[in-house]
Amino acid sequence: MRTTAETSGRMSVLVPLCVAQFTAADGALAKFKAASAYSKEGVVSEFVKNVASTSMDYSFAKACATGIETELANAATKS
């Protein structure tokens, strides 16, 4: 249970950093929007290799992809 809490806490800090890194990369958002739901983690991994000395793995890429989708939805709502 402690490990889960530590991982969750770390992800809550790393995911916003990952989203910022990803959205700053040239062409990343366009490729993300064009990707299928099943390949978005791969797109994230392609553009972001590590965040704050944490290597990108599947669960981290999935969390980051979810964060990116949330950012896109929030931006669409504000427009």
Side-chain angles (χ1 to χ4, degrees):
M1 191 159 151
R2 181 177 174 207
T3 303
T4 303
E6 288 175 2
T7 301
S8 178
R10 191 178 64 194
M11 284 296 185
S12 68
V13 172
L14 294 176
V15 168
L17 295 173
C18 177
V19 171
Q21 257 185 272
F22 183 83
T23 56
D26 288 337
L29 282 177
K31 192 165 185 177
F32 185 84
K33 289 177 183 178
S36 72
Y38 300 105
S39 63
K40 291 187 178 197
E41 294 86 7
V43 174
V44 171
S45 295
E46 179 182 335
F47 285 93
V48 181
K49 301 298 181 199
N50 59 51
V51 177
S53 300
T54 302
S55 296
M56 186 64 62
D57 63 6
Y58 177 77
S59 63
F60 187 20
K62 184 174 176 84
C64 189
T66 300
I68 293 164
E69 289 175 340
T70 301
E71 286 292 316
L72 291 173
N74 289 342
T77 303
K78 291 178 183 177
S79 298

